[in-house]
Amino acid sequence: MELHDLTITQTKKALLDREISAVELTKLYIERIKSLDEKFNSFVTTTFDKALELAREADNKITQGMNLPLLGMPLAIKDNFCTQEIRTTASSFVLEDFIPTYNSTVAQKLFDAGIVLLGKTNMDAWAHGSSTETSDFGSTKNPWDLTRLPGGSSGGSAAAVASDEVLAAIGSETAGSVRGPASWCGIVGLKPTYGRVSRFGVVAMGSSLDSPGPMTKTVEDAALLLEVLAGKDPKDATTSDHPVKKYSQGLKDKKMMTIGISDEYFENAEKEIGEKVNEAIKLLEKLGHKIKKIKLFNPKYAIDVYTILMRSEVSSNLARYDGIRYGFGRDRFGEEAKRRIMLGTYTLSSGYYDAYYKKAQKVRTLIIEDFKNAFKEVDVIIGPTLPSVAPKIGSTANNPMFGEMADILVEPSSIAGLCGINMPVGFDSQSLPVGMQIIGNQFAEETILNLAYQYEKETQFWREKPKIK
Amino acid sequence: MKNKYIPVIGLEVHVELKTKSKMFCGCDASYFGEEPNSHTCPVCLGLPGALPVPNKKAIEWCLKIGMALNCKIPLVSKFDRKNYFYPDLAKGYQISQYDQPFAENGWIELTLKDEKKKKVRIRRVHMEEDTGKLLHETINGEKVSLIDFNRSGVPLVEIVTEPDFESAEEVKAYLKKLQQIIRYLEVSDADMEKGQMRLEPNISLREFRIQNSEFRIDENLPSYKVEVKNINSFNFVEDAIEFEIKRQSKILDEGKLPTQETRGWNEDRKESVSQRSKEDAMDYRYFPEPDIPPIKWKQEQVDNLKSQMPELPDVKIERYVKDYGVTYYNAEIIAREKKLAEFFEKTIEVCEELKNKKENSLDYKTITNWIINKKIDPEKILPAEFVTEILKATKVEGIDEAELESILKKIIDGNEKVVNDYKSGKENAIMFLVGQAMRELKGKVKADEVKEKLQDLLK
Ligand SMILES: [Zn+2]
């Protein structure tokens, strides 16, 4: 096993045991990115000088006997998180030269926890998309098959983790942007409850939905990162003061659960995907968990609600990009952003507001109620993460609703503000990764991580690596 | 016939709160005379990813204004986004309140000429944020527009009335009273010149006819409304309303309907100028602000805030008249400014204490007259000093009012003839009585004072 194959826990042990220094480790990752990223285009901006500087600091701290949760860990952050003095573009040419004067809370917490930042990862421009194809810096490629999409919008983060360019990465999900690319790239992707992780400093997409989350090789790594990221932020009024748990320690004792299965989720997925997820469910049953059939709303309703609410918020959130104070003018907005601004402006217009936005809010309440009722009977809900495996690059062209259709199975839980995690459950006949999602109630991160960890212990799919040509 | 129309006037007033920090960020909210863009941060500059966190104090003050205007305080309220483009609007939207304001359905009672009262309904009181300021300058021969964001995000409270005013006089009375209440609450200095109070009247005219020798006022509100902006003094609001009444009357006289529009007030030319017609009215695409959760109050919180309300001028005036026997006219003068009212009340306290200690004191009337006639500046003198000063000036040293009165009465009783002379018109006769009294009082009281007192007693 090579160093870049290690998890956060393993790498940190190697650092603290002085088997390797943070600078050596960082150099190793930098070399890997230098040699591989031409293939994947995971990064919009690399920060190698900064990384080496942070690594030297980490080594100093280690010498002084200091310990921090992520000391010396080489990570990447999605390019919609503001990073002080480091270009932040949200993969849009509107912000091509934008260098923030401040750190997002997530970036600040990561720096405080000792990370070594390797760079900012590619994404769909403004996080508008599920493929990274809307990025003004070119699409990212799927490490399992370079002719295929990595998913999006956190596609750069997913590809970087899957190809071991970084130890872990941070993504953000509005509806599917963490779980989706994690599924197509065969990694763990955790979308926390809305309000669990601060949105301060994250270039806003759908403000009532955006949830930053970790994208990692293993469940334990995700738990470790969530410990660092979660918590009330005085700068974000929508964060919750719900207590932050020691998620990584909560993994060890195997909790027995009742798992809810809703047919609607399988009916909307390809057969082969459903079969893989069912195999995983059978394994969990064998471990002693109870499986219970439940009936959830057909996820197709969530598409309409999500489309209207998110477009409305987008049309307002992108209004500030007028090129007056920073960045470039509106002429640099790409097709997808323009489409979303137009649609959102329309749905908020007087005379249409009641028919669209208000109605969508009402259906949103129904979806929230639907899940609330379900969680009275079950601890978690399991289904496929995405309806298919990664499609070919270019297949989204002329299909502006591609993202919404691809994300159909993650939209309901996003709309309800629930937490969810993508777990790799093996490969399809073309050797492409398949993912299942474990959905938990609001602030039930501990529960879904616990079950995901039990599954991972049995299967160890994370050890499978793409053969990079 | 002369007055064929009755004005229908409503008012929107913006008041800038004087909180230390801005509405949604920690920046210093003062901007008057500050270095441009020195009080800014990612939030009030609308930088990517910045989020608003509401200022609790500002919201409480907004509620207090609502309470002072007898509004209902709904237990659930929320912020909304008002979307429009303007270079001084950093986020491309203003955080405001649309359908769930902090306070609604109140009223205010105005005192008009001859102490006539009129109730005006308050529709709503809501909270929003101010915008930046555009400066148009010439730099190196090039015309440029600059933006100062120091004002961006300063808390604003908007107070909207129902269209209950029928004259400029009523509007002015309302504005003065509103300004007084705001100052009493100490939530803003409400200085018009500094833009801390901004007015937007909307004016239309309602026809009335005489039918069977009875006035018939059209019950419906007019089908149009003209809003006038850019008014920065109470006098200009009067001018603008008078101008609009004349302008609209003329149009109606011609059998036409005035256009629904927004007009700007030109103070030099003393006329309003069309700015924006109904067709160009903006669609603000309001929707709930997703970055701020709805604000929910517990009844105890509202009650607690209510209990912290200061005594307002109307209550003070009533109390002064009732408890201290001050005339309404004088009570109104004293209560006009909170500082003077407080000075008056403290002075009374000092005098009560003196009375309790059986020392020389002053009656309410003397205190009132001195405060009003001497135009007392409560910043420059303490109530106790003030009392000493009056006592010294009137020199009622070592003798109290009652004693003085009994001495003077004795002298009056003992000089029947002189008294009769005086009463029959020989005004100089009083000087004999003054002399008698001065001898008796051994200079403890000034002659003028004695003379005045004798005149009172001989009335
Ligand atoms: Zn600020």
Side-chain angles (χ1 to χ4, degrees):
Chain A
M1 188 180 264
E2 294 196 51
L3 257 173
H4 63 251
D5 289 332
L6 301 181
T7 66
I8 290 180
T9 319
Q10 292 164 340
T11 309
K12 208 177 151 195
K13 189 169 181 300
L15 270 188
L16 293 179
D17 291 349
R18 313 283 176 94
E19 287 169 31
I20 187 168
S21 73
V23 170
E24 285 166 334
L25 179 73
T26 302
K27 279 183 176 160
L28 187 146
Y29 274 99
I30 290 174
E31 283 318 308
R32 217 176 144 74
I33 293 169
K34 277 184 177 165
S35 68
L36 289 177
D37 206 51
E38 263 175 43
K39 293 184 172 62
F40 311 130
N41 193 29
S42 303
F43 287 87
V44 173
T45 306
T46 50
T47 53
F48 297 153
D49 290 344
K50 169 98 180 162
L52 286 167
E53 188 189 309
L54 289 167
R56 277 190 288 275
E57 278 174 32
D59 280 332
N60 283 338
K61 284 181 177 143
I62 291 165
T63 317
Q64 290 160 27
M66 273 174 77
N67 194 1
L68 289 170
L70 300 171
L71 190 56
M73 299 297 103
L75 258 61
I77 301 178
K78 189 178 178 180
D79 205 27
N80 58 346
F81 290 84
C82 283
T83 39
Q84 195 173 352
E85 287 166 33
I86 298 167
R87 183 171 77 141
T88 300
T89 69
S91 283
S92 167
F93 280 163
V94 174
L95 293 180
E96 193 180 5
D97 66 351
F98 177 62
I99 296 169
T101 54
Y102 70 109
N103 273 326
S104 54
T105 297
V106 162
Q108 191 59 52
K109 282 187 166 189
L110 291 170
F111 286 128
D112 291 346
I115 68 152
V116 166
L117 182 71
L118 290 167
K120 307 289 295 288
T121 55
N122 199 10
M123 55 188 279
D124 284 287
W126 307 106
H128 296 170
S130 304
S131 65
T132 72
E133 281 179 304
T134 67
S135 168
D136 287 340
F137 297 86
S139 178
T140 297
K141 317 251 170 18
N142 192 318
W144 293 89
D145 179 345
L146 295 178
T147 67
R148 288 178 190 269
L149 296 170
S153 64
S154 312
S157 287
V161 174
S163 60
D164 291 332
E165 286 181 320
V166 294
L167 192 47
I170 303 300
S172 68
E173 172 157 338
T174 308
S177 280
V178 162
R179 284 174 285 177
S183 170
W184 282 351
C185 290
I187 62 165
V188 174
L190 173 66
K191 178 236 177 265
T193 305
Y194 178 76
R196 175 74 298 180
V197 178
S198 170
R199 294 182 294 117
F200 183 78
V202 186
V203 177
M205 205 257 262
S207 308
S208 69
L209 297 148
D210 295 346
S211 309
M215 304 180 77
T216 55
K217 297 174 188 177
T218 65
V219 175
E220 190 179 19
D221 285 0
L224 278 168
L225 277 170
L226 186 63
E227 275 172 30
V228 170
L229 300 178
K232 173 90 190 159
D233 180 6
K235 291 176 183 164
D236 177 357
T238 60
T239 49
S240 166
D241 48 18
H242 202 93
V244 176
K245 309 240 170 80
K246 279 269 159 209
Y247 301 105
S248 59
Q249 284 165 29
L251 301 173
K252 306 286 161 7
D253 71 286
K254 290 181 183 168
K255 288 193 191 114
M256 284 303 131
M257 302 182 194
T258 306
I259 298 165
I261 309 290
S262 177
D263 284 341
E264 282 76 10
Y265 279 66
F266 289 82
E267 283 159 12
N268 279 291
E270 282 172 13
K271 201 165 153 263
E272 213 183 341
I273 304 274
E275 283 167 7
K276 280 280 156 203
V277 176
N278 270 322
E279 272 176 34
I281 292 166
K282 288 223 173 69
L283 176 72
L284 289 169
E285 199 174 11
K286 227 195 289 170
L287 293 177
H289 300 281
K290 237 173 80 187
I291 309 298
K292 187 166 181 178
K293 281 258 178 191
I294 55 168
K295 188 151 174 59
L296 289 172
F297 279 150
N298 193 315
K300 70 181 182 193
Y301 297 116
I303 296 182
D304 302 342
V305 174
Y306 173 70
T307 304
I308 291 166
L309 294 182
M310 184 268 281
R311 270 23 172 215
S312 300
E313 291 177 7
V314 161
S315 73
S316 173
N317 284 335
L318 293 186
R320 66 183 60 187
Y321 301 103
D322 52 17
I324 292 175
R325 284 144 298 143
Y326 51 83
F328 293 93
R330 294 180 189 125
D331 52 319
R332 286 202 170 199
F333 274 123
E335 288 300 309
E336 182 60 20
K338 283 185 202 161
R339 263 199 295 273
R340 291 189 186 204
I341 292 168
M342 290 298 289
L343 189 63
T345 303
Y346 177 79
T347 53
L348 288 178
S349 300
S350 80
Y352 298 99
Y353 178 82
D354 284 353
Y356 293 106
Y357 189 87
K358 214 158 188 182
K359 204 171 196 176
Q361 280 289 25
K362 280 183 188 156
V363 181
R364 183 181 204 174
T365 309
L366 291 177
I367 292 171
I368 292 169
E369 284 301 312
D370 189 38
F371 277 113
K372 233 183 217 164
N373 288 329
F375 282 116
K376 282 178 192 157
E377 299 176 48
V378 299
D379 299 303
V380 299
I381 297 163
I382 286 183
T385 305
L386 296 178
S388 70
V389 291
K392 288 275 186 191
I393 288 170
S395 60
T396 70
N398 305 319
N399 185 2
M401 289 298 281
F402 162 78
E404 280 65 29
M405 298 308 290
D407 291 333
I408 179 170
L409 302 177
V410 280
E411 276 159 6
S413 56
S414 290
I415 285 167
L418 307 175
C419 61
I421 189 168
N422 174 74
M423 287 302 296
V425 290
F427 302 86
D428 76 342
S429 48
Q430 305 165 89
S431 303
L432 293 167
V434 177
M436 79 167 170
Q437 56 174 331
I438 305 172
I439 300 167
N441 208 343
Q442 288 199 347
F443 303 103
E445 281 81 0
E446 202 176 27
T447 309
I448 59 172
L449 285 165
N450 188 286
L451 189 67
Y453 187 74
Q454 291 182 43
Y455 177 78
E456 187 185 67
K457 277 266 161 224
E458 295 297 318
T459 56
Q460 306 270 342
F461 284 119
W462 70 272
R463 292 190 190 279
E464 309 271 345
K465 297 285 174 182
K467 288 168 198 70
I468 298 158
K469 285 160 208 154
Chain B
M1 127 140 244
K2 209 175 128 211
N3 282 320
K4 286 195 297 182
Y5 310 107
I6 293 183
V8 178
I9 308 167
L11 216 62
E12 284 177 20
V13 177
H14 282 90
V15 173
E16 208 168 57
L17 300 184
K18 56 174 179 184
T19 47
K20 273 208 179 64
S21 53
K22 291 188 181 180
M23 187 59 219
F24 298 112
C25 60
C27 290
D28 187 335
S30 59
Y31 61 85
F32 207 77
E34 300 286 342
E35 170 82 8
N37 297 309
S38 58
H39 294 177
T40 56
C41 75
V43 177
C44 54
L45 284 174
L47 294 189
L51 297 173
V53 177
N55 181 333
K56 199 169 155 246
K57 177 122 266 162
I59 294 176
E60 286 180 357
W61 284 4
C62 178
L63 255 62
K64 279 190 171 178
I65 293 175
M67 287 170 179
L69 298 173
N70 305 296
C71 288
K72 307 226 165 23
I73 308 295
L75 292 182
V76 183
S77 187
K78 67 174 169 66
F79 284 102
D80 296 276
R81 287 190 188 174
K82 181 180 180 178
N83 295 284
Y84 67 95
F85 282 109
Y86 208 71
D88 64 9
L89 188 67
K91 299 185 293 297
Y93 56 83
Q94 180 193 33
I95 304 178
S96 179
Q97 293 192 287
Y98 183 54
D99 54 351
Q100 290 179 267
F102 282 125
E104 55 193 5
N105 300 325
W107 52 266
I108 185 169
E109 192 175 57
L110 308 179
T111 309
L112 304 168
K113 250 186 243 147
D114 308 323
E115 292 182 29
K116 206 180 105 203
K117 306 274 183 191
K118 171 165 180 152
K119 245 184 200 182
V120 167
R121 291 168 299 159
I122 304 291
R123 185 181 295 168
R124 54 186 282 154
V125 177
H126 78 248
M127 184 94 247
E128 56 188 38
E129 55 175 338
D130 213 340
T131 61
K133 224 177 199 169
L134 283 178
L135 309 160
H136 305 286
E137 285 178 17
T138 305
I139 294 175
N140 300 331
E142 195 191 350
K143 279 192 175 174
V144 292
S145 294
L146 305 168
I147 317 173
D148 176 8
F149 286 100
N150 281 349
R151 199 180 65 180
S152 167
V154 168
L156 279 183
V157 168
E158 184 176 334
I159 301 145
V160 184
T161 73
E162 295 292 346
D164 288 352
F165 302 98
E166 291 181 346
S167 69
E169 183 215 345
E170 289 177 10
V171 169
K172 207 171 168 186
Y174 165 75
L175 291 172
K176 278 191 171 167
K177 183 136 192 186
L178 183 65
Q179 188 181 47
Q180 185 188 36
I181 289 173
I182 302 284
R183 288 177 176 170
Y184 254 75
L185 294 173
E186 291 174 16
V187 298
S188 170
D189 295 335
D191 187 336
M192 293 274 302
E193 275 172 23
K194 287 185 178 164
Q196 292 160 346
M197 190 168 170
R198 297 167 219 165
L199 328 169
E200 279 165 31
N202 54 74
I203 305 144
S204 51
L205 298 180
R206 172 156 44 184
E207 217 166 332
F208 77 84
R209 317 176 188 86
I210 296 171
Q211 226 172 33
N212 305 330
S213 58
E214 266 181 69
F215 283 122
R216 289 287 161 112
I217 299 172
D218 192 353
E219 278 178 25
N220 298 316
L221 288 177
S223 60
Y224 72 95
K225 199 163 77 174
V226 175
E227 208 173 271
V228 185
K229 290 186 185 280
N230 313 336
I231 297 174
N232 48 24
S233 92
F234 289 175
N235 291 331
F236 294 157
V237 84
E238 261 187 315
D239 294 347
I241 290 171
E242 298 298 353
F243 177 85
E244 271 305 306
I245 291 173
K246 270 189 212 132
R247 190 185 69 84
Q248 293 177 24
S249 297
K250 213 175 137 204
I251 297 171
L252 287 165
D253 283 344
E254 288 165 5
K256 291 185 244 164
L257 195 69
T259 320
Q260 168 131 350
E261 61 183 343
T262 302
R263 298 176 71 88
W265 181 245
N266 184 318
E267 55 190 64
D268 298 328
R269 280 157 50 195
K270 293 221 175 297
E271 59 181 42
S272 67
V273 184
S274 181
Q275 284 184 335
R276 204 166 57 218
S277 75
K278 192 186 178 184
E279 285 71 40
D280 309 322
M282 288 209 249
D283 178 357
Y284 292 118
R285 308 192 309 279
Y286 281 100
F287 76 104
E289 168 56 273
D291 290 331
I292 305 171
I295 287 132
K296 291 174 187 162
W297 304 104
K298 289 194 188 91
Q299 190 57 49
E300 302 98 81
Q301 288 174 295
V302 177
D303 294 344
N304 182 37
L305 215 58
K306 214 169 235 167
S307 71
Q308 292 169 29
M309 292 282 284
E311 189 179 43
L312 293 173
D314 277 357
V315 183
K316 277 199 194 296
I317 292 170
E318 201 180 310
R319 192 161 59 84
Y320 294 169
V321 171
K322 210 172 130 241
D323 294 0
Y324 306 139
V326 178
T327 61
Y328 178 88
Y329 181 83
N330 283 344
E332 196 274 327
I333 295 175
I334 289 177
R336 213 171 275 168
E337 275 177 44
K338 195 184 188 183
K339 281 204 175 111
L340 192 64
E342 282 173 351
F343 181 83
F344 172 69
E345 289 171 24
K346 276 199 193 109
T347 307
I348 285 179
E349 261 174 52
V350 170
C351 290
E352 298 291 336
E353 247 172 69
L354 288 173
K355 254 178 223 161
N356 287 342
K357 285 194 269 179
K358 303 232 184 293
E359 285 177 29
N360 264 339
S361 187
L362 302 166
D363 59 12
Y364 302 139
K365 200 181 152 195
T366 311
I367 298 170
T368 311
N369 288 342
W370 272 75
I371 288 184
I372 293 173
N373 296 338
K374 298 276 167 182
K375 294 199 173 71
I376 287 305
D377 181 353
E379 307 263 296
K380 287 190 179 143
I381 186 164
L382 292 169
E385 288 169 9
F386 176 61
V387 172
T388 318
E389 215 167 87
I390 308 178
L391 284 172
K392 213 154 100 197
T394 54
K395 272 216 173 150
V396 194
E397 277 170 37
I399 186 163
D400 71 17
E401 291 276 317
E403 205 182 327
L404 174 65
E405 215 171 286
S406 93
I407 289 170
L408 295 182
K409 270 186 182 155
K410 223 180 274 170
I411 290 167
I412 290 169
D413 291 347
N415 294 284
E416 207 175 320
K417 191 179 167 288
V418 182
V419 169
N420 283 338
D421 283 352
Y422 172 74
K423 282 188 172 168
S424 63
K426 288 185 186 163
E427 284 189 12
N428 273 338
I430 201 165
M431 290 321 289
F432 176 77
L433 300 176
V434 173
Q436 295 268 307
M438 291 309 284
R439 206 172 305 143
E440 192 82 13
L441 291 163
K442 295 182 181 80
K444 283 175 195 162
V445 185
K446 271 190 189 166
D448 281 359
E449 183 97 350
V450 172
K451 189 181 165 194
E452 209 174 294
K453 204 86 196 173
L454 278 167
Q455 279 168 337
D456 270 359
L457 289 169
L458 290 170
K459 257 178 204 162

